[in-house]
Amino acid sequence: MRLATPEQEGGQAPPSLMPLLRGLEDLKRIRSANQSGSIAERLFTSAWSALVAGVHPTDVARHAVRHALAATVLGDLDTGVLRMAGVPDAAADDIIQATVATAAAPLEAGLRAWLLDAPAPARCGNPPPFVARLAAQPRAGATAPGRGRLILDPPESHAEHCALVTVFGVLLAPSWGARPETVFLAGLAHHLHNALLPDSGFAGEMALGEWLAPSMARATALALDELEPGLRAAVQEACHILPDATTPEGRAFHAADTLDRVLQVEGQLRAAGTSMAFVLREMELVHAGPVKPFQDAVLARMGLAA
């Protein structure tokens, strides 16, 4: 039997998911007045809080991805906020379910059903201390030996990156027949070493030479020591998929990690290169309504019409 090549395996990534993945990237940049951090950062924190409280990784993964799908449209308008604003419980639940169903439309049927029926975690604990450190730890940007560092502001945090890798990993898991909960848990944990080690990027890693592996291993062990034995063992088991892409779970993880890293930069470059014509015409910054003719006339008079 002839084994598939890495190129053939990589060719199983579904291009139909790209619009959804780009929408999910924005969760790193959506914030609201009554909560700290981005949606992505809070997804990371809530996932670890549920795991510490003993919620099974499968249920944590289903709830986190479902929440992320809803947030691509609603942002921080969750059921709690809607109810406080006077939306009845049933209507609030219907809004969330309909939004998740629409966002999940391009997903594989089994995964879509798995997410639509996801229960909310019943318990929530205090996240381990490394969670706050990863939320405060910026990513390095693009670095390469012998070249200057390329930093696009604002930098993402390691919590935001890990959150998106976990979500991407679950959505990509069916492409390789991977277990989504394993990919999810490995994605949450794959930068535990950065809770201690500031991110120096590829160039810094090469500079460490033979000390790279032992320093990362020691930093990871210190973070893992903040978990109770059962959860620590589950995280360590999931992280066995990280070194290579020879397993279904390893392929789903590395596809997710790669796509998130590239889409992070793509999103920043796209925003920097956006034209006023695109914002006004395609995004309808001044959108249809009873006062739009007046607004258009003001823009035209002031030289701002596209």
Side-chain angles (χ1 to χ4, degrees):
M1 181 178 68
R2 180 176 298 177
L3 297 176
T5 66
E7 291 81 4
Q8 290 170 328
E9 289 291 350
Q12 293 178 212
S16 61
L17 292 189
M18 285 302 292
L20 176 57
L21 299 185
R22 287 189 172 102
L24 288 163
E25 277 293 310
D26 290 336
L27 302 189
K28 297 175 183 176
R29 293 171 275 275
I30 300 175
R31 299 169 181 266
S32 59
N34 295 325
Q35 303 195 70
S36 62
S38 67
I39 291 177
E41 179 184 317
R42 284 183 268 113
L43 278 172
F44 182 75
T45 301
S46 63
W48 278 110
S49 297
L51 289 168
V52 165
V55 180
H56 194 278
T58 300
D59 290 335
V60 178
R62 292 171 73 190
H63 175 73
V65 176
R66 175 186 169 86
H67 183 90
L69 291 176
T72 60
V73 174
L74 295 173
D76 269 322
L77 286 175
D78 59 17
T79 52
V81 172
L82 291 173
R83 286 164 185 156
M84 288 180 65
V87 179
D89 287 359
D93 291 339
D94 287 346
I95 290 170
I96 300 297
Q97 185 74 353
T99 305
V100 173
T102 300
L107 302 180
E108 183 268 338
L111 177 62
R112 187 166 62 248
W114 188 71
L115 292 171
L116 286 172
D117 293 336
R123 300 183 301 282
C124 185
N126 294 319
F130 63 70
V131 168
R133 297 198 298 274
L134 288 171
Q137 190 76 272
R139 300 265 292 159
T143 74
R147 296 181 179 273
R149 184 177 299 208
L150 175 63
I151 300 177
L152 298 173
D153 286 323
E156 62 179 326
S157 72
H158 280 83
E160 291 169 326
H161 167 65
C162 289
L164 266 294
V165 171
T166 63
V167 174
F168 282 15
V170 170
L171 301 185
L172 292 165
S175 299
W176 292 277
R179 293 166 296 175
E181 66 277 8
T182 300
V183 183
F184 182 87
L185 197 54
L188 279 181
H190 78 288
H191 274 285
L192 286 182
H193 58 280
N194 289 117
L196 170 65
L197 301 175
D199 191 355
S200 58
F202 178 45
E205 291 177 354
M206 293 301 96
L208 285 176
E210 65 179 301
W211 290 103
L212 174 64
S215 64
M216 289 178 63
R218 174 58 177 161
T220 300
L222 290 172
L224 287 169
D225 284 345
E226 298 176 7
L227 302 176
E228 58 85 17
L231 180 55
R232 181 170 66 241
V235 170
Q236 289 175 309
E237 178 64 26
C239 286
H240 287 159
I241 72 170
L242 297 179
D244 54 56
T246 59
T247 65
E249 290 72 28
R251 291 171 187 131
F253 165 79
H254 285 288
D257 182 54
T258 302
L259 287 167
D260 178 65
R261 282 188 283 155
V262 173
L263 288 177
Q264 164 69 17
V265 176
E266 182 202 63
Q268 290 174 303
L269 294 176
R270 186 173 67 249
T274 297
S275 68
M276 185 58 73
F278 175 79
V279 173
L280 286 175
R281 295 175 185 170
E282 303 298 325
M283 298 301 293
E284 298 184 85
L285 181 63
V286 179
H287 45 267
V291 299
K292 189 174 189 303
F294 173 80
Q295 294 170 320
D296 288 341
V298 171
L299 292 176
R301 176 70 174 174
M302 304 304 284
L304 292 173

